[in-house]
Short mmCIF file of all heavy atoms in Angstrom, two decimals:
data_model
loop_
_atom_site.label_atom_id
_atom_site.label_comp_id
_atom_site.label_asym_id
_atom_site.label_seq_id
_atom_site.Cartn_x
_atom_site.Cartn_y
_atom_site.Cartn_z
N LEU A 102 118.48 156.81 61.63
CA LEU A 102 118.98 155.67 60.85
C LEU A 102 118.95 155.97 59.35
O LEU A 102 118.20 156.84 58.89
CB LEU A 102 118.14 154.42 61.14
CG LEU A 102 118.11 153.97 62.61
CD1 LEU A 102 117.34 152.67 62.75
CD2 LEU A 102 119.53 153.81 63.18
N SER A 103 119.75 155.23 58.62
CA SER A 103 119.86 155.42 57.17
C SER A 103 119.40 154.16 56.46
O SER A 103 119.44 153.06 57.05
CB SER A 103 121.32 155.69 56.78
OG SER A 103 121.81 156.80 57.49
N PRO A 104 119.00 154.28 55.20
CA PRO A 104 118.63 153.08 54.45
C PRO A 104 119.78 152.07 54.47
O PRO A 104 120.94 152.44 54.30
CB PRO A 104 118.40 153.61 53.02
CG PRO A 104 118.01 155.04 53.23
CD PRO A 104 118.81 155.51 54.40
N GLY A 105 119.43 150.83 54.72
CA GLY A 105 120.45 149.78 54.80
C GLY A 105 120.92 149.50 56.21
O GLY A 105 121.52 148.45 56.47
N ASP A 106 120.64 150.41 57.16
CA ASP A 106 120.93 150.10 58.57
C ASP A 106 120.04 148.94 58.99
O ASP A 106 118.94 148.74 58.45
CB ASP A 106 120.65 151.32 59.46
CG ASP A 106 121.76 152.37 59.36
OD1 ASP A 106 122.84 152.04 58.82
OD2 ASP A 106 121.54 153.50 59.81
N GLU A 107 120.51 148.19 59.97
CA GLU A 107 119.81 146.95 60.33
C GLU A 107 119.30 146.97 61.78
O GLU A 107 119.97 147.50 62.66
CB GLU A 107 120.76 145.76 60.14
CG GLU A 107 121.20 145.58 58.69
CD GLU A 107 122.35 144.59 58.56
OE1 GLU A 107 122.81 144.06 59.59
OE2 GLU A 107 122.80 144.37 57.42
N ILE A 108 118.14 146.37 61.94
CA ILE A 108 117.55 146.18 63.26
C ILE A 108 117.26 144.69 63.41
O ILE A 108 116.70 144.07 62.50
CB ILE A 108 116.25 147.00 63.43
CG1 ILE A 108 116.58 148.49 63.42
CG2 ILE A 108 115.52 146.61 64.71
CD1 ILE A 108 115.37 149.39 63.42
N ILE A 109 117.63 144.13 64.54
CA ILE A 109 117.37 142.71 64.80
C ILE A 109 116.21 142.62 65.79
O ILE A 109 116.27 143.23 66.87
CB ILE A 109 118.62 142.02 65.38
CG1 ILE A 109 119.76 142.07 64.36
CG2 ILE A 109 118.31 140.58 65.77
CD1 ILE A 109 121.10 141.60 64.91
N ILE A 110 115.17 141.89 65.42
CA ILE A 110 114.04 141.69 66.34
C ILE A 110 113.88 140.21 66.64
O ILE A 110 114.21 139.35 65.81
CB ILE A 110 112.72 142.27 65.78
CG1 ILE A 110 112.42 141.71 64.39
CG2 ILE A 110 112.78 143.78 65.74
CD1 ILE A 110 111.11 142.22 63.81
N GLY A 111 113.39 139.92 67.82
CA GLY A 111 113.23 138.53 68.23
C GLY A 111 112.05 137.87 67.54
O GLY A 111 111.05 138.51 67.22
N GLU A 112 112.17 136.58 67.32
CA GLU A 112 111.09 135.81 66.69
C GLU A 112 109.90 135.65 67.65
O GLU A 112 108.78 135.43 67.22
CB GLU A 112 111.61 134.42 66.29
CG GLU A 112 110.68 133.63 65.42
CD GLU A 112 111.29 132.30 65.00
OE1 GLU A 112 112.19 131.80 65.70
OE2 GLU A 112 110.87 131.77 63.96
N GLY A 113 110.17 135.77 68.92
CA GLY A 113 109.11 135.55 69.91
C GLY A 113 108.42 136.82 70.37
O GLY A 113 107.71 136.80 71.37
N GLU A 114 108.61 137.89 69.65
CA GLU A 114 108.10 139.17 70.14
C GLU A 114 106.58 139.30 70.02
O GLU A 114 105.95 138.73 69.14
CB GLU A 114 108.75 140.33 69.36
CG GLU A 114 110.25 140.39 69.48
CD GLU A 114 110.73 140.45 70.92
OE1 GLU A 114 110.28 141.32 71.67
OE2 GLU A 114 111.55 139.59 71.31
N HIS A 115 106.04 140.09 70.90
CA HIS A 115 104.67 140.60 70.79
C HIS A 115 104.63 141.50 69.55
O HIS A 115 105.63 142.12 69.19
CB HIS A 115 104.36 141.42 72.05
CG HIS A 115 102.94 141.86 72.21
ND1 HIS A 115 102.40 142.88 71.46
CD2 HIS A 115 101.97 141.42 73.03
CE1 HIS A 115 101.14 143.06 71.84
NE2 HIS A 115 100.84 142.18 72.78
N HIS A 116 103.48 141.58 68.91
CA HIS A 116 103.37 142.42 67.71
C HIS A 116 103.81 143.87 67.99
O HIS A 116 104.26 144.57 67.07
CB HIS A 116 101.93 142.43 67.19
CG HIS A 116 101.47 141.07 66.71
ND1 HIS A 116 100.15 140.76 66.50
CD2 HIS A 116 102.17 139.94 66.40
CE1 HIS A 116 100.04 139.50 66.08
NE2 HIS A 116 101.27 138.99 66.03
N ALA A 117 103.69 144.28 69.23
CA ALA A 117 104.09 145.65 69.59
C ALA A 117 105.58 145.88 69.38
O ALA A 117 106.02 147.02 69.23
CB ALA A 117 103.73 145.96 71.04
N ASN A 118 106.34 144.80 69.37
CA ASN A 118 107.78 144.92 69.17
C ASN A 118 108.19 144.38 67.78
O ASN A 118 109.36 144.04 67.57
CB ASN A 118 108.56 144.21 70.27
CG ASN A 118 109.97 144.76 70.46
OD1 ASN A 118 110.29 145.87 70.01
ND2 ASN A 118 110.82 143.98 71.12
N ILE A 119 107.22 144.28 66.91
CA ILE A 119 107.48 143.87 65.53
C ILE A 119 106.98 144.96 64.56
O ILE A 119 107.74 145.49 63.74
CB ILE A 119 106.79 142.53 65.19
CG1 ILE A 119 107.34 141.40 66.07
CG2 ILE A 119 106.98 142.19 63.70
CD1 ILE A 119 106.61 140.07 65.89
N VAL A 120 105.70 145.28 64.72
CA VAL A 120 105.06 146.15 63.73
C VAL A 120 105.68 147.56 63.67
O VAL A 120 105.88 148.09 62.56
CB VAL A 120 103.53 146.21 63.99
CG1 VAL A 120 102.85 147.10 62.96
CG2 VAL A 120 102.94 144.80 63.93
N PRO A 121 106.02 148.19 64.81
CA PRO A 121 106.65 149.52 64.69
C PRO A 121 107.94 149.49 63.87
O PRO A 121 108.24 150.44 63.14
CB PRO A 121 106.95 149.89 66.15
CG PRO A 121 105.96 149.12 66.95
CD PRO A 121 105.81 147.81 66.22
N TRP A 122 108.66 148.37 63.97
CA TRP A 122 109.92 148.27 63.21
C TRP A 122 109.64 148.01 61.73
O TRP A 122 110.41 148.45 60.87
CB TRP A 122 110.80 147.16 63.83
CG TRP A 122 110.99 147.37 65.30
CD1 TRP A 122 110.56 146.58 66.32
CD2 TRP A 122 111.63 148.49 65.94
NE1 TRP A 122 110.88 147.12 67.54
CE2 TRP A 122 111.55 148.29 67.33
CE3 TRP A 122 112.27 149.64 65.46
CZ2 TRP A 122 112.07 149.20 68.25
CZ3 TRP A 122 112.79 150.55 66.38
CH2 TRP A 122 112.69 150.32 67.75
N GLN A 123 108.57 147.30 61.45
CA GLN A 123 108.19 147.11 60.04
C GLN A 123 107.77 148.44 59.42
O GLN A 123 108.10 148.72 58.25
CB GLN A 123 107.04 146.10 59.93
CG GLN A 123 107.47 144.67 60.26
CD GLN A 123 106.30 143.70 60.24
OE1 GLN A 123 105.18 144.06 60.59
NE2 GLN A 123 106.57 142.46 59.85
N ILE A 124 107.05 149.24 60.20
CA ILE A 124 106.64 150.56 59.68
C ILE A 124 107.88 151.41 59.42
O ILE A 124 107.99 152.09 58.40
CB ILE A 124 105.67 151.25 60.68
CG1 ILE A 124 104.35 150.46 60.73
CG2 ILE A 124 105.43 152.70 60.29
CD1 ILE A 124 103.39 150.93 61.82
N LEU A 125 108.86 151.33 60.35
CA LEU A 125 110.11 152.07 60.16
C LEU A 125 110.85 151.55 58.92
O LEU A 125 111.39 152.33 58.12
CB LEU A 125 111.00 151.92 61.40
CG LEU A 125 112.40 152.54 61.29
CD1 LEU A 125 112.32 154.05 61.11
CD2 LEU A 125 113.23 152.20 62.54
N ARG A 126 110.87 150.22 58.78
CA ARG A 126 111.51 149.62 57.60
C ARG A 126 110.91 150.19 56.31
O ARG A 126 111.63 150.60 55.40
CB ARG A 126 111.32 148.10 57.62
CG ARG A 126 111.81 147.38 56.37
CD ARG A 126 111.28 145.96 56.30
NE ARG A 126 109.83 145.96 56.16
CZ ARG A 126 109.05 144.89 56.36
NH1 ARG A 126 109.58 143.74 56.72
NH2 ARG A 126 107.74 144.98 56.20
N ASP A 127 109.58 150.21 56.29
CA ASP A 127 108.90 150.66 55.07
C ASP A 127 109.09 152.15 54.83
O ASP A 127 109.04 152.61 53.69
CB ASP A 127 107.41 150.29 55.13
CG ASP A 127 107.19 148.78 55.19
OD1 ASP A 127 108.14 148.03 54.86
OD2 ASP A 127 106.10 148.34 55.58
N ARG A 128 109.26 152.89 55.91
CA ARG A 128 109.42 154.34 55.78
C ARG A 128 110.86 154.74 55.49
O ARG A 128 111.11 155.64 54.69
CB ARG A 128 108.94 155.02 57.07
CG ARG A 128 108.85 156.54 56.98
CD ARG A 128 108.35 157.18 58.26
NE ARG A 128 109.35 157.15 59.32
CZ ARG A 128 109.19 156.56 60.50
NH1 ARG A 128 108.07 155.93 60.77
NH2 ARG A 128 110.15 156.58 61.40
N ALA A 129 111.79 154.06 56.15
CA ALA A 129 113.18 154.54 56.13
C ALA A 129 114.15 153.62 55.41
O ALA A 129 115.32 153.95 55.28
CB ALA A 129 113.65 154.79 57.56
N GLY A 130 113.66 152.45 54.99
CA GLY A 130 114.55 151.56 54.25
C GLY A 130 115.53 150.80 55.12
O GLY A 130 116.54 150.30 54.61
N VAL A 131 115.26 150.71 56.43
CA VAL A 131 116.14 149.88 57.26
C VAL A 131 115.82 148.41 57.00
O VAL A 131 114.75 148.07 56.49
CB VAL A 131 115.99 150.20 58.77
CG1 VAL A 131 116.29 151.66 59.04
CG2 VAL A 131 114.61 149.83 59.29
N VAL A 132 116.75 147.56 57.36
CA VAL A 132 116.61 146.13 57.12
C VAL A 132 116.29 145.44 58.44
O VAL A 132 116.97 145.67 59.45
CB VAL A 132 117.91 145.55 56.53
CG1 VAL A 132 117.82 144.04 56.38
CG2 VAL A 132 118.23 146.22 55.19
N LEU A 133 115.25 144.62 58.45
CA LEU A 133 114.91 143.86 59.66
C LEU A 133 115.46 142.45 59.55
O LEU A 133 115.32 141.79 58.53
CB LEU A 133 113.39 143.78 59.85
CG LEU A 133 112.65 145.08 60.10
CD1 LEU A 133 111.20 144.80 60.49
CD2 LEU A 133 113.32 145.90 61.18
N LYS A 134 116.08 142.01 60.62
CA LYS A 134 116.54 140.62 60.72
C LYS A 134 115.86 139.99 61.94
O LYS A 134 115.51 140.70 62.89
CB LYS A 134 118.05 140.58 60.89
CG LYS A 134 118.83 141.03 59.67
CD LYS A 134 120.32 140.94 59.97
CE LYS A 134 121.15 141.06 58.72
NZ LYS A 134 122.61 140.98 59.06
N VAL A 135 115.72 138.68 61.89
CA VAL A 135 114.98 138.00 62.97
C VAL A 135 115.93 137.09 63.75
O VAL A 135 116.60 136.23 63.18
CB VAL A 135 113.82 137.17 62.38
CG1 VAL A 135 113.11 136.41 63.50
CG2 VAL A 135 112.83 138.08 61.66
N LEU A 136 115.94 137.31 65.06
CA LEU A 136 116.69 136.43 65.97
C LEU A 136 115.79 135.25 66.31
O LEU A 136 114.75 135.43 66.95
CB LEU A 136 117.07 137.19 67.24
CG LEU A 136 117.77 136.38 68.34
CD1 LEU A 136 119.13 135.86 67.87
CD2 LEU A 136 117.93 137.22 69.60
N PRO A 137 116.13 134.04 65.88
CA PRO A 137 115.22 132.90 66.09
C PRO A 137 115.10 132.51 67.55
O PRO A 137 115.98 132.82 68.36
CB PRO A 137 115.86 131.78 65.26
CG PRO A 137 117.30 132.15 65.15
CD PRO A 137 117.38 133.64 65.18
N VAL A 138 114.01 131.82 67.86
CA VAL A 138 113.85 131.24 69.20
C VAL A 138 113.99 129.73 69.09
O VAL A 138 113.83 129.15 68.02
CB VAL A 138 112.47 131.59 69.83
CG1 VAL A 138 112.33 133.10 70.01
CG2 VAL A 138 111.32 131.02 69.01
N ASP A 139 114.26 129.10 70.23
CA ASP A 139 114.35 127.63 70.23
C ASP A 139 112.96 127.04 70.47
O ASP A 139 111.96 127.77 70.52
CB ASP A 139 115.39 127.15 71.25
CG ASP A 139 115.00 127.48 72.69
OD1 ASP A 139 113.80 127.73 72.95
OD2 ASP A 139 115.89 127.47 73.56
N ASP A 140 112.89 125.75 70.63
CA ASP A 140 111.60 125.08 70.73
C ASP A 140 110.82 125.46 71.99
O ASP A 140 109.61 125.24 72.08
CB ASP A 140 111.78 123.55 70.69
CG ASP A 140 112.25 123.08 69.33
OD1 ASP A 140 112.12 123.85 68.36
OD2 ASP A 140 112.75 121.94 69.23
N GLU A 141 111.50 126.01 72.98
CA GLU A 141 110.82 126.44 74.20
C GLU A 141 110.49 127.93 74.20
O GLU A 141 109.90 128.44 75.14
CB GLU A 141 111.68 126.11 75.43
CG GLU A 141 111.83 124.61 75.66
CD GLU A 141 112.58 124.31 76.94
OE1 GLU A 141 113.47 125.10 77.32
OE2 GLU A 141 112.27 123.28 77.57
N GLY A 142 110.90 128.61 73.13
CA GLY A 142 110.58 130.03 73.03
C GLY A 142 111.69 130.96 73.48
O GLY A 142 111.50 132.18 73.49
N TYR A 143 112.85 130.41 73.85
CA TYR A 143 113.97 131.28 74.24
C TYR A 143 114.69 131.80 73.01
O TYR A 143 114.97 131.02 72.07
CB TYR A 143 114.99 130.50 75.09
CG TYR A 143 114.51 130.15 76.48
CD1 TYR A 143 114.05 128.87 76.77
CD2 TYR A 143 114.51 131.10 77.48
CE1 TYR A 143 113.61 128.54 78.04
CE2 TYR A 143 114.07 130.79 78.75
CZ TYR A 143 113.62 129.51 79.03
OH TYR A 143 113.18 129.20 80.29
#
Side-chain angles (χ1 to χ4, degrees):
Chain A
L102 301 184
S103 304
D106 283 346
E107 297 168 359
I108 293 173
I109 297 171
I110 54 178
E112 191 176 24
E114 300 305 306
H115 188 286
H116 295 164
N118 204 17
I119 297 174
V120 180
W122 307 115
Q123 290 176 326
I124 293 172
L125 175 63
R126 174 195 65 195
D127 297 343
R128 189 179 73 239
V131 302
V132 175
L133 296 189
K134 292 180 167 180
V135 177
L136 175 64
V138 298
D139 65 20
D140 292 343
E141 293 186 328
Y143 289 102

